[in-house]
Amino acid sequence: MEKWYKYLYYTENVAVNIERVDVVEAITGRETLDYVLRTLKLLDEIRGDYNLTDREYEIIRTVLQWSEVAKGGTVEDRANWLKKGYPLNIHNIASAEIYREETGDSDELTYILIKTHGMIGQCLRGEVPVAGNAELAGMTDPDGRMLQALNECIIRGVSDSLWERVYDRAVELIKRVIKGDLYEFDSITRIHGLLPGIGDVPEKLISLFETEFFPKYELWYFEAALSDFSAEQITEILKELSEKIPSRNNIKYISFKPLADSLYYDYENKKHINVYKKRIIEKYLRDNSTENVELSVEMSGGAALVDFKFTKVCEKLIEFCVEAERSGLLTFEKSITVLYDMFGFRRDEFDRLNNEDKYLDTMNASENSTKNSIIDYVVGNTVVDVGSGGGVLLDLLEDKYPDKNIIGTDISENVIDVLNKKKKSEGHKWNVKRHNFVDGPFLVEGRTGKINSIIFSSIIHEIFSYTETAEGRFNIDTVKTALKNAYESLRPGGRIIIRDGVKTPVPIKENGEIDTPADTLAVTFLEKSGMDFFKNYMKDFEGLPDIQDRRILIDEEECRVEGCTNFIREFLYTYTWGQESYSHEVQEQFGYFTIEEYEEFFKSLGARVIRADAFLEPGYPEHLKSKIVLEPDKYPDSNCIVVVEKPYLVA
């Protein structure tokens, strides 16, 4: 077994860029070896494309074999390397030294190529200055074939698409490095390399990079660790970091890998940022308090290793929240909210904390056929999407109406931040603003009556379910207030467009009493877990305050329940989402107005009703058919589309 292979095979050191994995728990420790083997296979594939001579091929092959060895080795190997002064946290330099010692090879070109391994890519990412490649200037590769072949293997070893994206810039950089043309990229270019989604860079951050970081340090794993923070938060982190690195230390490299590794965990078998840690860090950056967490900088072999260290109480709190999130139980979600409010970690009262990413992803991935149809009702130039969430409707509006002024709103500061980040990274023209229609009309240029179209897509039921009033939640006056304020925000001829849940009309007999048989639905569960879900729902659901008699009957033996139509309907469309979403869905009442109540309310405002239809989304019965039998076998309407118009004043 060759030594380089042995070092990478027999190792307990896990050296994976967390940015490159989808599932944290899938990390095996063999990722580095697998990566090297991929690069060697690629070299064989592209050898003919570059007309590599036998010597050139062997040099590149040796470079690929040895460039990652500093990430491997047994505990004893690594201890010996550290004793010899090899900077293992700067793996390219350490690997070059290990190669020279282990092989006795005095070939300077191979040594330099190992030492500068990956630096072209790091230059493009803004992590290192162009001058970091100075040793490559004038190397015996006048046309850059060897260096380009090497970098194709290095970058395609990560992904083919990455090589396609950077190909032109990589080739251009290689050509000028070979010629000794080492002029640096400007600061803005480097910052956008470090943080591709940052958009406009604040002057404070530019100044900080130019005075404290670019002239002094290489910045490793920067994007992996900091891309989820705002420009203002990154500025605060870097300001403190610059003060924590003593000038007397011979530090040239800053590695954010420890922070990147600690910020992520798996949820539903997918990597997610640990929002609990992030909220604690955000409070620390906002309040400058080290009571619960502080920025940690460890000096090791010429490198500064950056992370955040938490108190034991905070570590246990974070651990509890992660496990509580995975349970999906409402009681645990309430506990998380109480604890984070007690410590002051939540950003605002609408910060969902757990499942925020999943919530926004679900909104973006939800069935959008009716979303496509409602935007056909848009009129005028200025369009407001209320409760934009993940931004899917903003994108649909922009695609269909590229010349309109499209504005998204949300009541959550966290969602606004996510949308702004999406706008910058994807190059959208729409804008977002924090606004709550329960609090007042939407002002444009400081005035009401300036909007042409306002869209409420699956958001009014959340206003109804979550708005706290003196009488508690589920107060229909909150819906009426929000819609009145929206109506006041419209120009004459403007429209309110609604896509949301719908309440089932209660059948009334001639004598004025409820027709109970006609207002009853029964559910037989095909899985016992369904009955457990129903019992929890009965206990936790606080909606439908206007329905005193839910007439709930439970037959344990038959695994059957029955009750009034509106209660069973609310249960069914919560059951569809499953246990993972239970803690959110059980807090919401999806149907709050019947179609008739919608029409009556808008007519009372003087609006003209253009459309008011109730319908059943086919996804509900399709999803539930393997879980329940419904009696009678007819699902109640789940959704509605309502479109109203503000008439022009008539003289």
Side-chain angles (χ1 to χ4, degrees):
M1 182 182 295
E2 295 184 59
K3 281 189 176 181
W4 67 268
Y5 190 94
K6 181 188 73 172
Y7 286 138
L8 296 178
Y9 186 87
Y10 294 110
T11 184
E12 297 174 2
N13 183 55
V14 178
V16 180
N17 186 350
I18 198 72
E19 190 181 4
R20 305 299 185 196
V21 301
D22 296 320
V23 182
V24 177
E25 291 177 1
I27 295 173
T28 63
R30 297 286 171 81
E31 283 75 15
T32 303
L33 176 59
D34 292 341
Y35 166 76
V36 171
L37 294 176
R38 279 199 304 276
T39 64
L40 292 170
K41 183 178 179 182
L42 284 167
L43 177 61
D44 289 336
E45 291 177 6
I46 67 173
R47 179 179 182 178
D49 297 339
Y50 289 95
N51 296 316
L52 297 174
T53 66
D54 290 346
R55 181 177 181 275
E56 290 170 338
Y57 170 80
E58 287 302 327
I59 288 174
I60 296 174
R61 183 173 180 80
T62 301
V63 170
L64 293 173
Q65 289 171 337
W66 283 90
S67 289
E68 305 286 342
V69 291
K71 295 180 179 179
T74 63
V75 173
E76 184 179 356
D77 290 329
R78 296 184 67 77
N80 288 334
W81 292 337
L82 287 172
K83 277 184 183 179
K84 292 174 181 177
Y86 300 158
L88 299 185
N89 291 306
I90 312 162
H91 71 270
N92 54 331
I93 294 177
S95 293
E97 299 302 332
I98 295 168
Y99 161 77
R100 176 172 277 177
E101 179 197 11
E102 293 288 347
T103 65
D105 189 350
S106 59
D107 180 70
E108 192 66 16
L109 179 58
T110 304
Y111 173 81
I112 289 173
L113 288 175
I114 295 174
K115 190 178 177 183
T116 57
H117 177 268
M119 297 272 286
I120 293 293
Q122 285 181 282
C123 279
L124 298 177
R125 298 192 68 178
E127 295 178 336
V128 304
V130 177
N133 289 288
E135 292 179 274
L136 295 171
M139 63 178 280
T140 54
D141 183 25
D143 55 2
R145 283 182 305 105
M146 285 181 65
L147 201 52
Q148 186 174 328
L150 174 61
N151 277 276
E152 179 170 349
C153 294
I154 292 169
I155 297 172
R156 280 186 62 194
V158 175
S159 78
D160 289 337
S161 60
L162 179 60
W163 175 245
E164 290 173 9
R165 289 200 304 273
V166 305
Y167 174 81
D168 290 336
R169 290 186 298 139
V171 171
E172 179 187 357
L173 180 56
I174 287 168
K175 286 180 179 178
R176 64 184 188 87
V177 164
I178 292 293
K179 294 176 182 177
D181 186 358
L182 302 175
Y183 73 84
E184 298 295 344
F185 295 120
D186 62 73
S187 298
I188 297 293
T189 300
R190 284 193 67 180
I191 294 170
H192 278 286
L194 290 167
L195 296 164
I198 195 171
D200 296 331
V201 186
E203 285 297 327
K204 285 184 180 179
L205 187 54
I206 297 172
S207 176
L208 194 56
F209 271 115
E210 289 180 341
T211 58
E212 298 296 330
F213 290 94
F214 287 158
K216 303 176 184 178
Y217 311 112
E218 294 183 7
L219 305 171
W220 291 31
Y221 301 97
F222 195 94
E223 182 183 357
L226 298 180
S227 60
D228 281 291
F229 291 93
S230 69
E232 291 75 18
Q233 290 163 348
I234 292 170
T235 302
E236 291 302 314
I237 292 171
L238 293 184
K239 278 170 60 179
E240 183 169 350
L241 180 58
S242 67
E243 296 167 1
K244 288 207 170 201
I245 302 177
S247 57
R248 67 181 182 275
N249 283 45
N250 186 28
I251 299 297
K252 183 182 175 185
Y253 309 88
I254 299 178
S255 174
F256 294 86
K257 189 174 191 305
L259 175 57
D261 289 345
S262 69
L263 269 181
Y264 296 90
Y265 73 108
D266 287 338
Y267 177 67
E268 292 190 331
N269 202 36
K270 184 179 178 182
K271 181 185 71 178
H272 285 259
I273 190 167
N274 192 324
V275 70
Y276 310 107
K277 283 188 176 182
K278 186 166 182 278
R279 289 293 181 270
I280 297 172
I281 293 170
E282 286 172 340
K283 178 174 171 57
Y284 164 75
L285 297 172
R286 187 170 61 246
D287 299 345
N288 197 26
S289 169
T290 59
E291 182 180 350
N292 301 293
V293 61
E294 65 176 334
L295 185 69
S296 167
V297 183
E298 178 186 341
M299 311 302 169
S300 176
L305 310 180
V306 182
D307 199 358
F308 280 94
K309 299 298 183 186
F310 300 85
T311 62
K312 288 185 178 180
V313 171
C314 275
E315 286 178 352
K316 293 298 181 184
L317 175 60
I318 293 164
E319 183 181 343
F320 164 77
C321 291
V322 169
E323 293 308 316
E325 176 185 281
R326 287 172 172 154
S327 75
L329 295 178
L330 178 61
T331 50
F332 282 146
E333 167 159 324
K334 289 179 177 177
S335 298
I336 291 172
T337 300
V338 169
L339 286 167
Y340 265 64
D341 280 343
M342 182 174 71
F343 283 98
F345 294 148
R346 284 210 300 162
R347 297 189 64 185
D348 56 42
E349 65 271 35
F350 307 108
D351 191 350
R352 290 173 177 265
L353 283 169
N354 66 324
N355 284 329
E356 182 71 54
D357 289 342
K358 180 183 177 182
Y359 168 71
L360 295 177
D361 287 346
T362 299
M363 293 181 73
N364 278 344
S366 61
E367 190 278 324
N368 63 16
S369 60
T370 50
K371 287 183 181 179
N372 275 310
S373 67
I374 62 172
I375 66 176
D376 290 340
Y377 289 95
V378 164
V379 295
N381 183 59
T382 302
V383 184
V384 172
D385 169 33
V386 184
S388 298
V392 64
L393 191 57
L394 291 173
D395 292 346
L396 288 171
L397 286 165
E398 186 173 274
D399 287 344
K400 189 173 180 67
Y401 305 111
D403 297 326
K404 292 189 186 297
N405 176 25
I406 299 165
I407 305 168
T409 74
D410 208 280
I411 58 178
S412 168
E413 182 180 341
N414 186 49
V415 171
I416 293 296
D417 282 354
V418 171
L419 287 171
N420 276 321
K421 184 177 178 182
K422 171 183 169 69
K423 176 187 174 181
K424 291 174 183 176
S425 64
E426 299 177 6
H428 293 291
K429 294 190 297 182
W430 44 253
N431 295 298
V432 291
K433 178 180 178 180
R434 192 176 180 193
H435 179 72
N436 187 349
F437 272 97
V438 175
D439 296 335
F442 191 95
L443 303 181
V444 178
E445 301 171 356
R447 291 183 291 160
T448 59
K450 300 284 287 183
I451 301 171
N452 302 102
S453 297
I454 300 175
I455 302 176
F456 291 87
S457 180
S458 293
I459 196 64
I460 299 179
H461 76 274
E462 294 200 355
I463 294 173
F464 176 64
S465 301
Y466 291 112
T467 303
E468 293 285 355
T469 70
E471 292 77 32
R473 297 186 299 132
F474 305 105
N475 185 337
I476 198 63
D477 285 341
T478 60
V479 173
K480 293 178 179 178
T481 298
L483 292 176
K484 284 178 183 176
N485 285 330
Y487 193 71
E488 186 179 340
S489 304
L490 289 177
R491 290 178 181 271
R495 291 178 176 179
I496 292 175
I497 304 161
I498 297 168
R499 169 189 177 274
D500 213 328
V502 67
K503 199 172 184 179
T504 305
V506 177
I508 304 296
K509 295 190 289 188
E510 290 184 3
N511 62 6
E513 295 179 354
I514 295 175
D515 186 347
T516 300
D519 187 41
T520 298
L521 278 179
V523 176
T524 300
F525 295 103
L526 302 180
E527 302 168 346
K528 184 181 181 303
S529 59
M531 180 64 80
D532 296 332
F533 195 108
F534 183 81
K535 289 179 179 178
N536 283 331
Y537 186 82
M538 280 184 57
K539 173 170 59 72
D540 293 330
F541 180 59
E542 298 175 3
L544 295 172
D546 55 327
I547 299 180
Q548 303 301 319
D549 181 16
R550 295 173 175 177
R551 305 189 302 275
I552 305 300
L553 299 175
I554 297 178
D555 186 333
E556 295 271 7
E557 189 172 331
E558 296 293 326
C559 215
R560 184 178 184 275
V561 300
E562 66 176 59
C564 70
T565 299
N566 274 296
F567 183 82
I568 297 298
R569 175 184 50 74
E570 291 290 339
F571 163 74
L572 286 174
Y573 302 148
T574 297
Y575 188 40
T576 306
W577 290 94
Q579 186 64 46
E580 293 295 340
S581 298
Y582 175 80
S583 60
H584 289 310
E585 297 299 326
V586 75
Q587 298 183 71
E588 300 177 1
Q589 180 179 323
F590 195 45
Y592 44 89
F593 268 162
T594 64
I595 281 294
E596 291 77 11
E597 288 168 337
Y598 259 124
E599 291 183 290
E600 289 173 10
F601 171 75
F602 279 115
K603 286 176 181 177
S604 74
L605 297 182
R608 182 169 71 92
V609 178
I610 294 174
R611 176 181 176 183
D613 295 326
F615 57 92
L616 173 65
E617 284 280 10
Y620 288 120
E622 180 66 25
H623 184 81
L624 290 170
K625 66 182 181 182
S626 63
K627 297 182 177 182
I628 67 161
V629 173
L630 190 66
E631 307 166 49
D633 187 19
K634 186 178 186 305
Y635 282 81
D637 287 335
S638 59
N639 291 68
C640 68
I641 291 178
V642 177
V643 183
V644 302
E645 189 170 272
K646 188 174 188 175
Y648 290 92
L649 295 177
V650 179

